[in-house]
Amino acid sequence: MVGNLGRAKQFGEINKLLNEMVRDGCQPNTVTYNRLIHSYGRANYLREAMNVFNQMQEAGCEPDRVTYCTLIDIHAKAGFLDIAMDMYQRMQAAGLSPDTFTYSVIINCLGKAGHLPAAHRLFCEMVGQGCTPNLVTFNIMIALHAKARNYQSALKLYRDMKGAGFQPDKVTYSIVMEVLGHCGYLEEAEAVFTEMQRKNWVPDEPVYGLLVDLWGKAGNVDKAWQWYQGMLHAGLRPNVTTCNSILRTFLRVHRLSEAYNLLQSMLALGLQSSLQTYTLLLSCCTDARSKFDLGFCGQLMAVSGHPAHMFLLKMPPAGTDGQNVREHVSNFLDYMHSEDRESKRGLMDAVVDFLHKSGLKEEAGSVWEVAAFKNVYPDALREKSCSYWLINLHVMSEGTAVTALSRTLAWFRKQMLVSGECPSRIDIVTGWGRRSRVTGTSMVRQAVEELLNMFNFPFFTENGNSGCFVGCGEPLKKWLLESSYVERMHLL
């Protein structure tokens, strides 16, 4: 019952049930607490999950391997790798040696947090400790290398896995198809699909959805639509993720009437638009080529029926200090609390970019500040070492990047005026930019460089890295101290 209520996110009812248990003389045990921790973790209530962890120990109930693995998993997925690794160390200190499952969880956590070398070292340690990897472990390692775009390493692991006697399952085939697709070998990915059928694995909706996504990202609308139709003919019901893939494909080539029909068919199938659905529509609205396209995109956003549309429609004017906008955004993010961070980041990026390009730059700045405060962009600003800071803009659209950079530089100036301490160095990383369409160019990089030049920021590039602007030393300190207009940079 605790597990069922947790899946339904009925935490008030869970507490009533626990009180009833205790009244009936039935004390919660480790399994009960583990269910509760897992339920809070799934809903992204990490503080409450830790509170349960502390309560179970106070009640004299010893955490087991499942307890620690759950806490490691939920914190790593939320981006709190330090807490996840602390839990791993506490598990070892408690005398709980990792088994194959535990290693797999931690390897997965490290990899998803972007620490692939550490994940690979742990995989080697696992083998060295005589703990045999299973098919799940191999699938995790292949998937992590695929995510890091180490496609050749992923394919080598696939061959190693088969050499060790493991037969691929549906998950393995899906990952390998994705790797081949990202390498540009889409026909080979289709061949793996055929092999999968030959080995009596019945392709499910996610497998069809993967091929829809791969062909869509390759720009082949007709092929993507063919696989989407193939899925329907196989008697499978598309999920929202697959619908988003084909929707993205239609929007990218401005086939708006087909996008409209797809949205209508989603609703007819009883599918609710997701945060990603609305983000795609809002980004299309921002990039609209004409007033007609702009109006049509507005209709699409309304048809989606997602709460984000009312959030955007009811966005208040900035006022004198932007506090009303910040409260509006804060309330919406609280409402969207259970959504994963990547989805929230995508929406906030689209909202800031839309407001910035619509001329509502004060509102855009306020939205960014709340998103940064709510940890939606955990990697946007970090201190690499003492007084050496990194501003990471490479996953943002150009409007968001310019807003984030100007507000962050304003924060540095404010901190310096309060404490008298100035950063010794600031690296502004643009990469090639999320919106880059041609290798070697980046709209994010161009927008950032224009902003820095406009305000005479004392930057230089080093080691041939044209995607990273560096400011340091006395010129940086002088600029922050004397640039009174830094508070208003985001308004240009």
Side-chain angles (χ1 to χ4, degrees), residues 52 107 137 204 267 346 446:
V52 174
I107 287 168
T137 318
D204 56 10
L267 297 173
Q446 290 171 14

Side-chain angles (χ1 to χ4, degrees), residues 141-159:
M141 284 302 299
I142 294 168
L144 291 176
H145 278 287
K147 185 179 179 182
R149 301 184 181 183
N150 299 331
Y151 299 130
Q152 295 308 316
S153 298
L155 292 173
K156 181 182 181 303
L157 274 167
Y158 176 59
R159 292 190 292 270

Side-chain angles (χ1 to χ4, degrees), residues 190 193 208 211-212 215 223-231:
E190 290 183 336
F193 177 89
Y208 278 99
L211 286 162
V212 170
W215 282 111
K223 263 285 193 179
W225 182 245
Q226 179 184 318
W227 278 101
Y228 183 79
Q229 290 294 312
M231 176 184 57

Side-chain angles (χ1 to χ4, degrees), residues 133-140 142 157-176 192 195-201:
N134 58 19
L135 181 61
V136 173
T137 318
F138 273 112
N139 282 346
I140 288 170
I142 294 168
L157 274 167
Y158 176 59
R159 292 190 292 270
D160 291 346
M161 183 197 80
K162 294 176 84 172
F166 289 103
Q167 288 300 314
D169 64 2
K170 196 179 294 185
V171 174
T172 323
Y173 281 125
S174 297
I175 299 166
V176 172
V192 172
E195 179 189 327
M196 179 181 175
Q197 288 180 308
R198 193 171 64 249
K199 292 291 181 70
N200 296 320
W201 287 103

